[in-house]
Amino acid sequence: MKAIIATKNPGKIEGARKAFSHYYSDLEVVGIPINSDVSDEPVNEEIMLGAKNRVKNLKRYCKKNKISADLFIAIESGITNALGEWIIISVAVIEDNNNLRSWGTSNGFPVPSKYVDEVINTSLGKVMDKIFNETDLADGKGGISLLAKDVVSRIDLTEKAFIMALTQFLNINKWSD
């Protein structure tokens, strides 16, 4: 099983690898940096759109460069108030060669109201780097690892989002569009 993920972020690649390894042996996960065509900090519907765009752009890139895979995957994190309060979530999208697509989300974590505008105007990573006096939190375990005192990492959130997205692929005859 070969899955190509639309990122070079090591935490996202590892989270995807962990998710898929629960169900597939002989697994290869390859990262290729692909644009999302949305804001640097996606807001609300942009989160899903960014993940879908990454998969679409990834498939186009792979076709142009004659790169084959079984699954094309992406994850996009952003801020949403769709539930009435501001939270950070990640949306994972998976698509196969027959254009079967599924998606899932990670757990969400709250954003204090005093930081919402700054997160939207820059990015969660930049805001957290500043608050916690860190650098490049977005590239590793993520800011959630600091907030959760290393109990949950970006890798964990990514893994769970991809597991949720896999539910339709794993139950194709009963639980898919």
Side-chain angles (χ1 to χ4, degrees):
M1 165 66 67
K2 181 177 181 181
I4 301 181
I5 185 169
T7 187
K8 287 299 269 184
N9 181 297
K12 291 180 178 181
I13 293 169
E14 178 61 14
R17 189 201 60 72
K18 286 179 73 174
F20 285 83
S21 69
H22 290 290
Y23 309 103
Y24 303 101
S25 58
D26 195 27
L27 173 69
E28 179 184 11
V29 178
V30 177
I32 298 175
I34 300 291
N35 289 329
S36 67
D37 300 329
V38 297
S39 305
D40 287 343
E41 185 63 45
V43 180
N44 292 321
E45 293 86 2
E46 275 190 316
I47 306 166
M48 175 70 82
L49 180 61
K52 287 179 177 179
N53 285 349
R54 284 185 193 275
V55 168
K56 178 184 73 177
N57 294 340
L58 177 63
K59 286 181 89 172
R60 186 179 301 135
Y61 175 89
C62 288
K63 184 176 181 178
K64 179 180 175 185
N65 291 283
K66 296 180 174 54
I67 300 170
S68 63
D70 300 296
L71 297 174
F72 302 88
I73 66 176
I75 191 157
E76 189 75 26
S77 299
I79 187 169
T80 183
N81 65 350
L83 300 174
E85 300 289 339
W86 288 102
I87 62 172
I88 299 294
I89 64 164
S90 297
V91 173
V93 172
I94 303 169
E95 196 170 303
D96 68 10
N97 287 300
N98 297 318
N99 297 318
L100 173 63
R101 179 191 299 153
S102 186
W103 58 93
T105 64
S106 68
N107 303 78
F109 60 93
V111 178
S113 56
K114 64 184 175 184
Y115 297 124
V116 168
D117 288 339
E118 189 177 0
V119 168
I120 290 171
N121 292 320
T122 59
S123 71
L124 176 67
K126 289 178 182 171
V127 172
M128 296 208 52
D129 281 347
K130 182 175 88 175
I131 293 169
F132 289 96
N133 199 27
E134 295 282 338
T135 57
D136 299 324
L137 280 172
D139 290 334
K141 293 192 292 185
I144 187 59
S145 65
L146 286 174
L147 295 173
K149 307 296 184 197
D150 287 325
V151 172
V152 176
S153 70
R154 170 190 292 263
I155 293 167
D156 300 322
L157 295 179
T158 300
E159 176 187 10
K160 299 307 184 217
F162 276 116
I163 289 171
M164 296 300 101
L166 277 164
T167 58
Q168 288 194 81
F169 281 90
L170 299 171
N171 299 282
I172 195 139
N173 295 327
K174 296 180 180 178
W175 196 256
S176 66
D177 289 334

